[in-house]
Amino acid sequence: MVLIHGWAQTGAVWDLPGFHAHAVDLRGHGESDDFGDYRDSARWAADLKAVLDHTGPATVVGWSYGGLVIADYLRFHGTANVHALVFVSAITEIGRGRPGGETGPVMRAALPGAITDDAVMAEFCQAMAPVLPSGTVGELTAAATSVSPRVRGELFRRDVGSADVLKAVDVPTLVVHGTQDEVVAPAAAEYSAALIPGAELSLYPDTAHAPFLERPERFSADLLRVAR
């Protein structure tokens, strides 16, 4: 599997024992370099293509902003080198009025402050999944504040629709979303699942923005059904 993290996080966010997985750091995050261009879908597509060229065909899992990176890849490369897709609390679009990028009150409250203010970012990391232990929240916060404010802001300065891209998906797809997610609205998951042919929508009750951390056993079981 290839695991793609969300906005202002790193590949270290994933904890999936028992899976053969490659957790990448997106450009400008974690140990990846700051390549300067964050608004061009073709650049994001090329980044993921480079990973899949290295790993070979894989199940691609995208959390939050990672879902948009997957959509960028599909726009230019279709499902080449993709066995299956898993969207986790994910956006597939971004921009005003884009249903695949609908946010919730926690995300709206965090912006624009969390772009430049580390204290606001810390509050966001706590609020994204309130049931997580303090140690995990601390790790999320450390990862988020290590991403430069410029990069944090650039990721939002895009306007991307993905309806045609989603309708063309031709591999098994699972859409996972917490019913209590207030970062990415559950409506965004419903939108993506409705457009992707044959997609399965798996809604987790009493779960916020990080199902793989909040409900690890259920999430692992879901992955086992689709991962190749």
Side-chain angles (χ1 to χ4, degrees), residues 7-8 107 109-122 124 144 149 152:
W7 173 69
M107 187 81 259
L111 295 177
I115 291 173
T116 58
D117 188 327
D118 285 352
V120 177
M121 178 63 88
F124 170 74
R152 295 183 217 171

Side-chain angles (χ1 to χ4, degrees), residues 4-173:
I4 308 171
H5 63 79
W7 173 69
Q9 283 300 314
T10 74
V13 73
W14 300 100
D15 182 17
L16 296 173
F19 290 93
H20 181 206
H22 300 263
V24 303
D25 286 346
L26 295 175
R27 55 173 54 211
H29 296 68
E31 297 183 7
S32 287
D33 291 335
D34 180 349
F35 292 102
D37 188 339
Y38 295 88
R39 305 188 193 187
D40 185 353
S41 288
R43 298 293 182 91
W44 291 105
D47 288 351
L48 182 49
K49 181 178 185 299
V51 173
L52 291 171
D53 285 347
H54 172 73
T55 65
T59 296
V60 183
V61 183
W63 173 46
S64 199
Y65 201 94
L68 182 61
V69 176
I70 291 175
D72 288 329
Y73 176 85
L74 296 172
R75 190 181 320 281
F76 291 92
H77 305 293
T79 53
N81 265 348
V82 175
H83 280 318
L85 295 170
V86 183
F87 293 94
V88 186
S89 303
I91 62 170
T92 52
E93 303 183 317
I94 194 168
R96 188 178 299 277
R98 300 284 190 187
E102 185 175 343
T103 58
V106 166
M107 187 81 259
R108 293 194 294 271
L111 295 177
I115 291 173
T116 58
D117 188 327
D118 285 352
V120 177
M121 178 63 88
E123 293 173 0
F124 170 74
C125 291
Q126 173 64 60
M128 75 163 72
V131 301
L132 294 179
S134 59
T136 301
V137 173
E139 293 169 359
L140 293 171
T141 302
T145 55
S146 73
V147 178
S148 75
R150 188 186 71 80
V151 173
R152 295 183 217 171
E154 283 293 293
L155 266 66
F156 286 104
R157 297 186 179 103
R158 305 178 64 194
D159 187 3
V160 180
S162 298
D164 290 346
V165 167
L166 299 178
K167 291 176 182 177
V169 171
D170 58 2
V171 296
T173 301

Side-chain angles (χ1 to χ4, degrees), residues 211-223:
F212 55 97
L213 297 176
E214 299 169 76
R215 305 284 182 262
E217 292 183 359
R218 176 172 175 177
F219 185 74
S220 292
D222 273 345
L223 280 187

Side-chain angles (χ1 to χ4, degrees), residues 184-202:
V184 176
E190 294 165 358
Y191 172 83
S192 300
L195 289 179
I196 297 171
E200 176 188 350
L201 177 61
S202 183

